[in-house]
Amino acid sequence: RQSGLAFRFAAEPLRADRELVLEAVRQYGKALQYAAKPLKADRELVREAVRQNGVVLLYATGPLRADRELVLEAVRQNGLALWAAADPLQADRELVLEAVRQKGSALCMQPNL
């Protein structure tokens, strides 16, 4: 198996290959940033990526960044993921509390609080 990091060098058509992107994000969550835009709207694929690195929520499409369940999963992996969430979720008490539990400095990153 190759590292998901190598995915950044993949040709454009391969960046749209769901199976390939899914394998890449399972190995290296940040590979999501190199995926074709439609795949950044794929909830299952983004969920796999945030399980590796919550902060990659930043590369998901707007509707997924507003998905409370997905944001909670990202924040549980890395509290700093809260800054990538949609604005209304950045003010969600439970999400902020979870972010602080995971990473105390997460509170300092929240401009909406």
Side-chain angles (χ1 to χ4, degrees), residues 4 6 10 23 31 45 52 69 79 87 90 98-101 106 108 113:
E23 185 60 32
L45 199 144
Q52 290 295 319
E69 183 181 320
D87 288 347
Q90 290 182 15
E98 188 63 38
V100 171
R101 282 185 185 137
C108 299
L113 298 178

Side-chain angles (χ1 to χ4, degrees), residues 34-60:
Y34 305 109
K37 190 171 182 172
L39 294 179
K40 293 178 182 181
D42 183 313
R43 192 172 194 279
E44 179 189 352
L45 199 144
V46 172
R47 180 183 296 269
E48 288 294 327
V50 301
R51 285 179 177 158
Q52 290 295 319
N53 183 339
V55 177
V56 301
L57 181 65
L58 176 66
Y59 304 115

Side-chain angles (χ1 to χ4, degrees), residues 44-94:
E44 179 189 352
L45 199 144
V46 172
R47 180 183 296 269
E48 288 294 327
V50 301
R51 285 179 177 158
Q52 290 295 319
N53 183 339
V55 177
V56 301
L57 181 65
L58 176 66
Y59 304 115
T61 59
L64 292 181
R65 292 170 67 183
D67 181 320
R68 190 176 188 285
E69 183 181 320
L70 190 61
V71 170
L72 181 58
E73 191 157 350
V75 165
R76 285 182 174 152
Q77 197 287 322
N78 185 328
L80 296 178
L82 186 60
W83 68 265
D87 288 347
L89 294 181
Q90 290 182 15
D92 181 300
R93 186 179 191 285
E94 182 186 353

